[in-house]
Amino acid sequence: MAGKDGRQVTGRGGRRQAAEAHARRKRNEEQRARRGWRLWLRRLFIWSGALAVLGLLFVGLAVAFAARSLPSYYQLQATQTGQTIIVRARDGSEIVELGPSYGQWLDSNEIPQVMKDAMVAVEDRRFHSHFGVDPVRLTGAIWEGLTGDDRIGGTSTITQQLARNVFLNSNRTLDRKLREAVLALAMEAKFSKEQILELYLNKVYFGGGAYGIDSASRKFFSHPATELSTAEAAIIAGLVKAPSRYSPTADVDAAVGRASVVLRLMKEQGRIPQNATVDPSAVKLKPESGQNSVRYFTDWALPQLDLLLPETFEPIEVWTTLDVGMQRAATAAIKSNTPNGAQGALVSLDRDGAVLALVGGNDYVETNYNRATEAMRQPGSAWKLFVYLAALEAGYTPDDRVVDVPVTINGWSPRNSSGRNAGEMSLRSAFAFSINTIAAQLGNEVGFGTVASMARRFGITTPISTFPAMVLGSSEVRLIDMTRAFAAVSAKGNSVEPYGILKVTTGEGEVIYQHERARQAQLVPDYVAAGMTDLLQTAVATGTGRAAQIGRPVAGKTGTTSSNKDGYFIGFSSGVTTGVWMGRDDNARVGGLQGGTAPARAFAAYMRYAVKDRPVEQFETELQLPEWQMEPDDEQLFGEPDDYYFIDEQGNLIEPGLGQGGERGVPFPNEGERGPGDFDRPRFPQPVQRDRGDDNQAASDDFLNRATGSGDNRQRSAPPNTAPTPIPPAPRGPSPRPIDY
């Protein structure tokens, strides 16, 4: 070490001086570091304080503006979120209430104290001490966001929940939470705690469409909220967390378990005595009075309000055509007759088209898919309604003779369900026993396009094939459309339009919609409808539909698709037309399912109830044929048989001894030689009177026999026990696979 004179200093004293100098330097450095930290902390504090002041100023301004824009307390009282729709049956009884349901508004002093305590205990224990946002719960929310700890409960206070329910949505976003907090602070600044709790208890959603404790109490316990017991209050308070999960009507055990949690919290917070004994499982719940199958009807009918009514948000009452007793009978008939693993559907129409009952499946809670109005399935032989209507309109009568023989049409050879051919029979018997070969011959004779047009005429709206197999029901249809078609036959050939809404009124009873009966159109002549009714009646009396008999006249038709995938029975009696379908949603085979078994039995079970109060009606099946179908000897032959000329299809006279076109020796064509397009013309030439010019016979005996119908010339197919009869080809195309009967 250097001394004062510049010389090196050594020894113990020099080392001590060096250590002291080093210590001084270290202390100086530490002091400078502490001064730097204090300066940084001071700056941080100043900036934080400034930011906090700015933040508080911003929040204060936001709260002030929000408070100024908030509706008044009385405006919030009158505000409802959504439209209430009460649906009534045809007798005026209420069958279902849809949309939000509001009970009586209860002032704070009318709300039982136990209800207030239960709600505060489970939803916001510091409700009376915070200012709209609970700092403790807010800290928990921040911690949850940082750690992802799922054990942290909900963070919204009662005031925040009220703000969200009234002004916001339920999106879990930071923006929504910030706005919710600002609105909660504004509400705390504008309203008292009692007013906020009153608004909350009258507006919060409790499940089942019930808004407010009075609506919930009436729905679940059948009495107003002013009479709530401690256990009932605990059940209602427990619903707010998850109304659908803890609803007593959905899961009683879950509701009771949640109520037990509420009661425990009330004891812990000193809101009820520790030794209080409350058993929520002993609460008597209101039984569910509605039929869940009614929802199939309302799902079909209520969307029509969008077309029937102007836009409105006020509560309305919808008076429908539904008969509660018939709906119950229809539900029971479907449930008790549908095979295991299958679904069933039923539509029942009054004579004017009013829907009396509608069942779209076995259980609406299990599946709300409406098979009565939405499902498209093959109708099987029920489709033969249109084939025979076309044939009757073309000139056939129920007594006409036809022959069941093997046939081939454009490479397609239909078979009968029995696998045999019965030979000659009447048209009536062919329909009653659902002979496929006869339907194929008729369809080919009148034209497959004609059959399709007939189906369109009678209300079938789904795509229709015109390949030969269409006569056996290969085109898919809706049950309600098929039922409508049969109802038109019941209405003597007049159109029928299904409808379900009679009128709509406001809550005060003002009528804002009234159903007006649709104009009817004559779809087929009345004699065609009478002939079709004759055939349908025989199918039930002696044919495939015998299981549908109910002790009074019934007309109807069975339908079964290949591999027993679908079974139909559709028929009418005493002005009520009912269609039944059964099958599986996955289109799989149902063992033993045929239209004449389970569907026909379900039809009979329902119809016995549906027509029990209606008079027995006999069907009008007497054919009043038009003049062109009358036998000449009965209507248009005057004088002696020799005293007439004949008229061809164009109305031109045919002189004696001349055939069509004036060519001598060319006979009038036989019926079997007429093409499908000829059946809209008179079947036989029509006679007119003339003066006797000579005694010679005007035509041959054979010609007269054919013309007057005295000979057996009405056979339209080859005699029985012959080889398959080729039929003139129809438009080419792949023939659908199903063979229906």
Side-chain angles (χ1 to χ4, degrees):
M1 177 180 291
K4 293 180 180 179
D5 55 359
R7 290 178 297 179
Q8 189 73 19
V9 178
T10 60
R12 187 176 301 171
R15 287 193 296 271
R16 185 167 52 253
Q17 290 177 2
E20 290 175 354
H22 177 73
R24 283 196 300 272
R25 286 195 302 271
K26 186 175 182 180
R27 284 195 298 271
N28 291 336
E29 290 174 358
E30 290 176 351
Q31 289 175 358
R32 284 196 298 270
R34 284 196 294 271
R35 284 196 298 270
W37 274 104
R38 283 196 295 270
L39 179 62
W40 184 86
L41 289 174
R42 188 180 301 113
R43 290 174 178 174
L44 178 63
F45 178 78
I46 292 173
W47 280 106
S48 298
L51 290 174
V53 171
L54 289 175
L56 289 174
L57 180 61
F58 175 79
V59 171
L61 290 174
V63 170
F65 281 114
R68 289 187 61 184
S69 62
L70 283 177
S72 69
Y73 173 73
Y74 299 103
Q75 287 175 319
L76 290 177
Q77 269 188 320
T79 302
Q80 292 184 349
T81 55
Q83 183 182 34
T84 302
I85 301 176
I86 297 176
V87 183
R88 299 190 180 277
R90 63 192 300 126
D91 62 359
S93 60
E94 180 179 329
I95 55 177
V96 68
E97 182 175 340
L98 304 174
S101 172
Y102 299 92
Q104 296 293 323
W105 186 277
L106 300 182
D107 294 333
S108 182
N109 58 356
E110 296 177 308
I111 300 173
Q113 186 61 41
V114 69
M115 184 70 250
K116 299 178 184 178
D117 291 340
M119 192 62 70
V120 170
V122 72
E123 289 297 319
D124 189 2
R125 63 188 305 171
R126 284 175 290 275
F127 170 71
H128 292 286
S129 60
H130 63 64
F131 45 84
V133 176
D134 188 347
V136 176
R137 302 184 92 176
L138 184 59
T139 302
I142 296 173
W143 176 257
E144 179 183 4
L146 294 174
T147 65
D149 189 351
D150 293 335
R151 294 174 298 174
I152 302 297
T155 61
S156 295
T157 64
I158 283 178
T159 313
Q160 287 175 277
Q161 292 180 47
L162 178 61
R164 180 173 66 247
N165 279 286
V166 174
F167 302 112
L168 303 173
N169 54 42
S170 298
N171 294 336
R172 297 178 63 85
T173 61
L174 179 61
D175 176 66
R176 196 268 295 166
K177 293 294 292 184
L178 291 174
R179 287 186 293 156
E180 177 185 292
V182 170
L183 286 170
L185 294 172
M187 294 182 75
E188 290 276 352
K190 188 166 186 175
F191 307 127
S192 68
K193 289 287 186 180
E194 286 300 309
Q195 288 177 322
I196 291 172
L197 190 57
E198 177 185 325
L199 287 169
Y200 180 82
L201 291 174
N202 280 285
K203 282 186 169 294
V204 73
Y205 181 60
F206 292 100
Y211 284 79
I213 58 172
D214 189 64
S215 177
S217 179
R218 294 176 188 273
K219 178 175 180 62
F220 301 132
F221 312 126
S222 302
H223 60 70
T226 53
E227 303 173 11
L228 285 170
S229 66
T230 301
E232 292 171 341
I235 290 176
I236 289 181
L239 294 175
V240 176
K241 181 178 181 180
S244 60
R245 185 190 310 169
Y246 298 120
S247 172
T249 57
D251 191 336
V252 175
D253 294 335
V256 170
R258 178 64 176 167
S260 299
V261 173
V262 176
L263 292 170
R264 176 177 58 79
L265 292 173
M266 293 178 72
K267 289 182 179 181
E268 291 176 357
Q269 298 172 26
R271 301 184 188 279
I272 57 174
Q274 290 288 335
N275 59 355
T277 302
V278 182
D279 184 11
S281 63
V283 171
K284 185 177 181 180
L285 297 173
K286 178 182 178 181
E288 284 290 318
S289 58
Q291 307 173 47
N292 71 46
S293 69
V294 168
R295 292 300 304 275
Y296 288 116
F297 172 80
T298 57
D299 285 354
W300 169 75
L302 294 186
Q304 301 170 27
L305 293 175
D306 293 337
L307 300 176
L308 302 178
L309 299 179
E311 186 175 11
T312 177
F313 297 99
E314 63 178 324
I316 58 175
E317 295 188 2
V318 181
W319 299 69
T320 70
T321 59
L322 196 75
D323 185 290
V324 175
M326 292 185 184
Q327 181 72 16
R328 188 175 291 111
T331 304
I334 291 297
K335 286 187 175 182
S336 60
N337 288 282
T338 303
N340 292 335
Q343 288 284 343
L346 182 150
V347 178
S348 186
L349 306 178
D350 208 343
R351 62 178 81 246
D352 66 340
V355 177
L356 302 172
L358 191 151
V359 178
N362 297 346
D363 192 318
Y364 184 87
V365 175
E366 178 183 321
T367 167
N368 60 10
Y369 180 57
N370 197 333
R371 298 156 188 86
T373 61
E374 297 179 29
M376 294 171 55
R377 304 295 291 252
Q378 291 181 342
S381 288
W383 181 266
K384 291 176 183 175
L385 174 80
F386 308 117
V387 179
Y388 280 77
L389 279 170
L392 292 170
E393 189 175 57
Y396 277 86
T397 67
D399 293 316
D400 280 349
R401 307 301 292 177
V402 291
V403 181
D404 172 18
V405 293
V407 296
T408 298
I409 305 174
N410 195 27
W412 173 63
S413 300
R415 64 174 179 83
N416 297 323
S417 61
S418 65
R420 299 186 301 271
N421 298 103
E424 184 176 337
M425 64 182 66
S426 69
L427 195 73
R428 183 182 293 108
S429 296
F431 184 84
F433 294 100
S434 201
I435 305 299
N436 287 341
T437 61
I438 301 299
Q441 294 177 60
L442 292 174
N444 187 73
E445 197 167 344
V446 301
F448 302 115
T450 302
V451 176
S453 297
M454 183 65 71
R456 282 275 182 261
R457 198 189 310 177
F458 273 74
I460 301 301
T461 58
T462 48
I464 301 174
S465 166
T466 54
F467 297 126
M470 64 90 71
V471 298
L472 304 185
S474 60
S475 299
E476 294 180 332
V477 296
R478 298 183 180 92
L479 178 61
I480 192 170
D481 289 342
M482 287 296 293
T483 308
R484 172 190 184 183
F486 277 74
V489 175
S490 176
K492 302 179 182 180
N494 290 297
S495 62
V496 173
E497 185 72 30
Y499 70 98
I501 298 175
L502 290 170
K503 66 177 180 179
V504 181
T505 64
T506 63
E508 291 74 30
E510 178 187 356
V511 177
I512 55 178
Y513 168 78
Q514 183 78 49
H515 173 74
E516 295 182 2
R517 186 167 182 173
R519 294 182 59 184
Q520 285 189 316
Q522 187 76 32
L523 303 179
V524 291
D526 53 1
Y527 72 88
V528 173
M532 195 69 242
T533 303
D534 184 343
L535 302 181
L536 292 168
Q537 181 176 234
T538 306
V540 175
T542 62
T544 58
R546 291 188 297 274
Q549 296 174 5
I550 60 174
R552 65 169 66 196
V554 175
K557 184 71 183 74
T558 58
T560 310
T561 60
S562 60
S563 302
N564 304 91
K565 295 177 181 178
D566 301 271
Y568 281 82
F569 186 88
I570 311 173
F572 50 87
S573 178
S574 300
V576 177
T577 304
T578 300
V580 177
W581 166 87
M582 292 179 184
R584 288 175 59 95
D585 289 337
D586 59 4
N587 208 33
R589 181 181 184 275
V590 181
L593 177 63
Q594 294 181 358
T597 56
R601 289 194 294 268
F603 171 90
Y606 165 75
M607 288 292 285
R608 288 190 187 97
Y609 178 90
V611 301
K612 65 183 179 64
D613 297 326
R614 297 188 177 214
V616 176
E617 296 182 13
Q618 300 296 329
F619 295 127
E620 297 182 14
T621 58
E622 293 294 328
L623 299 185
Q624 299 297 326
L625 297 176
E627 291 184 355
W628 65 265
Q629 271 192 272
M630 291 294 186
E631 297 293 347
D633 287 343
D634 294 336
E635 291 290 329
Q636 300 198 35
L637 186 61
F638 300 92
E640 297 297 324
D642 294 338
D643 297 342
Y644 56 82
Y645 283 92
F646 285 103
I647 299 176
D648 65 15
E649 287 93 334
Q650 286 75 38
N652 300 316
L653 292 178
I654 301 176
E655 296 183 16
L658 293 180
Q660 278 186 299
E663 298 180 9
R664 291 189 177 273
V666 180
F668 199 88
N670 293 324
E671 284 184 48
E673 299 171 355
R674 297 166 64 120
D678 295 327
F679 278 86
D680 58 345
R681 305 170 185 161
R683 172 170 300 187
F684 303 109
Q686 303 208 13
V688 295
Q689 193 171 11
R690 68 173 178 83
D691 294 332
R692 297 178 66 93
D694 53 55
D695 294 331
N696 294 329
Q697 185 171 328
S700 67
D701 291 336
D702 180 64
F703 180 59
L704 289 177
N705 287 337
R706 290 199 305 274
T708 60
S710 58
D712 186 15
N713 294 296
R714 307 185 63 120
Q715 182 170 311
R716 293 175 173 78
S717 300
N721 302 320
T722 62
T725 304
I727 302 296
R732 291 189 175 274
S735 298
R737 179 173 51 84
I739 301 297
D740 308 346
Y741 51 91

